[in-house]
Amino acid sequence: MGKCCTIQVWKALGDLSRKTHSCNHSQRYFYNVLTVGVTNQRETTLVWDKETGEPLYNAIVWLDLRTQSTVERLINSTPGKNKNHLKHKTGLPISTYFSAVKLRWLMDNVEEVAEAVLTHRAMFGTVDSWLIWCLTGGKNGGVHVTDVTNASRTMLFNIHTLDWDPELCKYFDVPMEILPQVKSSSEIYGSVNSGSLAGVPISGCLGDQSAALVGQMCFQDGQAKNTDQGKMDLNNVVFFLFIFSKWLMSDHGLLTTLAFKLGKDAPAYYALEGSVAIAGAVVRWLKDNLGIIQSSAEIEKLAGDVGSSYGCYFVPAFSGLYAPYWEPSARGIICGLTQFTNRSHLAFAALEAVCFQTREILEAMNQDYGVPLSQLQVDGGMTSNRLLMQLQADVLCIPVVKPSMSETTALGAAMAAGAAEGVGVWSLTPGNLTTIPTDKYQPLINPEESEFRYARWKKAVQKAMNWETTEPITNGNGAITNGNGAITNGNGAITNGNGAITNGNGAITNGNGAITNGNGAITNGNGEH
């Protein structure tokens, strides 16, 4: 958490809290701390040695594309080459996004990991598992656990049985002994082993988006929240979660994931989720790569100066497209440019792209659920941009509601930890919840204008598809082609794609008749030697 955002969390808990907290900018002291909650990036994957306590390789984060070849191999091995082959158990498509393919890549490509697995020294986990293991003692008796929200993002977890699935583990060839024990999101997992918090129980664990759901107090069917994660200059993602008390499969490109399970005997709640790979990172790209702004804070004023993209559309598919497409071959595209387009229009198009991506997910959720969402709750660092929040309301054509306390992820982890059995600092039953003040943004443009802009965005998305592949491209006769027709070779010939240089039988021709050589002679187009 940020410098003093822990104070924000405790203030937001309001009447739920019965304890005090003191914070100094140079040195922090925590008094009467009863428990600890953990929240984390969900899919980021680690493997460590349980004997030495050391990681065996750098963590592979959720956005990493090194696993694309692993994904393609797995999909090609399924009946009908279907990326949704495992979705009936996992709620997820086979994608670079999830932990199992990252773990498979580590086992295939990192010798230390493969050896540790063979010698039964390896431990796998997402960041929550690593933190809890280290905090509870590490190699000296550390607890190896995860919660249902993080486990549900691995592709090794059965969202019906709420446990690791032997068939899924066999499919990915992952030994079950390296997996952490799956727990609920709110129970005592162990105690801090050393330091100033020694003896304090760890009793809350939620993946970041589930923690934000709890922090937004989304505990009823049909509630939804949107997280614009991180600050405007960080590589971040938009997550959109729609909560249900029962399992629901999406027919429109969304994920089914565990929302939370707040206690050992509490019911599990599920969520439909859509994820957008690049949101605020496009702002950093405009700053660092194009240099059209000097700081991320400038983009709101720059975009506000024009108030429209004037036909410019930006699809920031820098690492492919996530929901609802799940298309890793897509790449970024800016289209609709004219001689009048300037940096202000690009800035506006970048912010609008975040909103269009959210709308795509909202429409998929409305189709799956059958009841249109009446308003959207938002959180995360990007919500500080008031223009972005207004654009979101305009593009979605529904009100956007922002809590005054933006650290809802940290708040959710604290709420789950404090409500655990054996801790009991507060209750999360509806009658005991404290209302958080909010700001509401109403749509200011007419629906016809919103529909027109959204249709143009969808057209731009189609143009961004199918740019990259890890498979070699050939012309059917052993030729190699660069994908744009620039270089081809069928029978030893070389062609530049415009007919300029060809060679079929040892001859060289420039395409205009200027230089030819059929039998060792060199002649220009005018017969001169």
Side-chain angles (χ1 to χ4, degrees):
M1 291 188 289
K3 231 177 188 182
C4 257
C5 69
T6 305
I7 287 181
Q8 281 187 290
V9 171
W10 280 76
K11 284 181 178 178
L13 289 169
D15 294 337
L16 292 177
S17 174
R18 299 198 301 266
K19 300 297 169 183
T20 59
H21 171 301
S22 174
C23 181
N24 183 288
H25 282 281
S26 60
Q27 187 176 19
R28 295 183 208 169
Y29 300 94
F30 295 87
Y31 301 102
N32 299 319
V33 175
L34 291 186
T35 189
V36 172
V38 173
T39 184
N40 60 287
Q41 285 185 348
R42 294 170 298 178
E43 296 82 11
T44 296
T45 300
L46 300 96
V47 180
W48 64 94
D49 189 317
K50 64 183 178 183
E51 295 181 3
T52 66
E54 295 296 318
L56 294 167
Y57 192 71
N58 291 340
I60 300 185
V61 301
W62 55 273
L63 199 61
D64 199 302
L65 290 179
R66 280 177 290 178
T67 56
Q68 180 59 33
S69 59
T70 302
V71 168
E72 291 181 3
R73 175 173 56 81
L74 289 167
I75 292 175
N76 288 336
S77 69
T78 66
K81 298 183 179 181
N82 181 11
K83 65 184 176 184
N84 292 319
H85 179 63
L86 306 176
K87 199 171 182 180
H88 66 290
K89 282 190 173 184
T90 65
L92 313 172
I94 302 172
S95 166
T96 59
Y97 192 0
F98 306 111
S99 304
V101 294
K102 303 179 192 303
L103 176 57
R104 184 66 261 163
W105 187 92
L106 286 167
M107 293 167 64
D108 291 339
N109 293 278
V110 180
E111 184 177 344
E112 292 83 355
V113 172
E115 182 182 351
V117 170
L118 286 174
T119 55
H120 309 289
R121 293 182 291 109
M123 303 182 87
F124 155 79
T126 44
V127 176
D128 58 305
S129 296
W130 167 251
L131 290 175
I132 294 173
W133 187 77
C134 290
L135 287 170
T136 56
K139 64 180 181 179
N140 299 314
V143 179
H144 190 207
V145 297
T146 189
D147 89 304
V148 292
T149 67
N150 284 289
S152 71
R153 310 296 290 191
T154 61
M155 299 199 77
L156 302 173
F157 180 81
N158 188 314
I159 61 175
H160 306 288
T161 65
L162 303 184
D163 207 347
W164 304 121
D165 189 286
E167 290 184 359
L168 292 172
C169 292
K170 183 178 180 181
Y171 177 83
F172 288 99
D173 196 18
V174 169
M176 297 184 72
E177 67 180 33
I178 74 173
L179 305 178
Q181 185 179 2
V182 181
K183 299 279 191 175
S184 76
S185 308
S186 180
E187 63 178 276
I188 296 176
Y189 314 111
S191 298
V192 179
N193 180 261
S194 60
S196 59
L197 295 178
V200 174
I202 303 171
S203 59
C205 180
L206 290 153
D208 47 6
Q209 301 313 313
S210 292
L213 266 178
V214 174
Q216 288 266 25
M217 302 185 188
C218 294
F219 297 122
Q220 298 178 2
D221 280 32
Q223 288 184 288
K225 71 94 191 173
N226 176 214
T227 296
D228 297 324
Q229 184 176 315
K231 302 298 182 185
M232 292 294 289
D233 58 348
L234 296 179
N235 189 13
N236 57 59
V237 64
V238 169
F239 293 98
F240 195 121
L241 277 80
F242 210 46
I243 187 173
F244 299 93
S245 57
K246 61 182 180 180
W247 177 83
L248 180 66
M249 181 69 76
S250 172
D251 294 322
H252 299 91
L254 303 179
L255 312 177
T256 303
T257 195
L258 264 293
F260 46 75
K261 187 177 187 293
L262 297 175
K264 294 180 183 179
D265 301 320
Y269 274 76
Y270 296 85
L272 285 178
E273 176 177 332
S275 305
V276 173
I278 300 295
V282 72
V283 179
R284 187 181 66 179
W285 185 81
L286 293 176
K287 177 172 69 75
D288 296 343
N289 293 41
L290 296 191
I292 70 172
I293 52 176
Q294 299 304 309
S295 69
S296 297
E298 291 179 27
I299 193 167
E300 184 172 1
K301 182 181 184 304
L302 187 63
D305 287 342
V306 289
S308 170
S309 69
Y310 284 93
C312 176
Y313 291 87
F314 193 161
V315 182
F318 299 154
S319 54
L321 288 169
Y322 284 4
Y325 303 102
W326 298 105
E327 183 49 69
S329 71
R331 286 297 179 268
I333 186 170
I334 302 174
C335 57
L337 299 174
T338 71
Q339 62 181 323
F340 303 106
T341 305
N342 60 37
R343 65 193 190 112
S344 292
H345 301 123
L346 288 180
F348 193 96
L351 293 181
E352 205 171 32
V354 177
C355 304
F356 285 135
Q357 291 178 101
T358 302
R359 174 161 174 178
E360 288 189 303
I361 296 170
L362 174 63
E363 289 197 340
M365 290 189 172
N366 286 341
Q367 289 175 309
D368 283 325
Y369 185 49
V371 179
L373 194 67
S374 60
Q375 69 176 27
L376 178 65
Q377 295 172 236
V378 297
D379 56 69
M382 291 178 69
T383 60
S384 62
N385 186 313
R386 296 180 63 85
L387 175 59
L388 177 63
M389 295 298 98
Q390 184 58 57
L391 278 174
Q392 190 74 87
D394 291 344
V395 168
L396 297 181
C397 301
I398 59 174
V400 168
V401 180
K402 172 194 168 186
S404 59
M405 203 288 284
S406 62
E407 297 290 343
T408 53
T409 301
L411 174 59
M415 290 169 66
E421 183 181 351
V423 178
V425 178
W426 44 67
S427 169
L428 298 184
T429 56
N432 293 321
L433 296 175
T434 301
T435 302
I436 298 175
T438 60
D439 296 322
K440 182 176 283 191
Y441 294 83
Q442 299 285 353
L444 296 181
I445 66 173
N446 63 60
E448 290 77 14
E449 172 67 14
S450 179
E451 290 297 329
F452 176 81
R453 285 154 57 176
Y454 181 55
R456 287 290 186 92
W457 157 264
K458 297 284 281 186
K459 185 177 180 180
V461 168
Q462 292 307 310
K463 295 182 182 299
M465 296 291 193
N466 302 315
W467 281 89
E468 291 293 335
T469 178
T470 61
E471 298 296 326
I473 303 172
T474 69
N475 72 353
N477 295 307
I480 301 173
T481 310
N482 75 350
N484 295 310
I487 304 172
T488 62
N489 180 348
N491 298 296
I494 302 173
T495 310
N496 77 348
N498 294 310
I501 304 172
T502 62
N503 179 349
N505 297 296
I508 303 174
T509 310
N510 77 347
N512 295 309
I515 302 174
T516 63
N517 179 351
N519 297 297
I522 302 175
T523 310
N524 70 9
N526 297 309
E528 297 177 353
H529 294 275

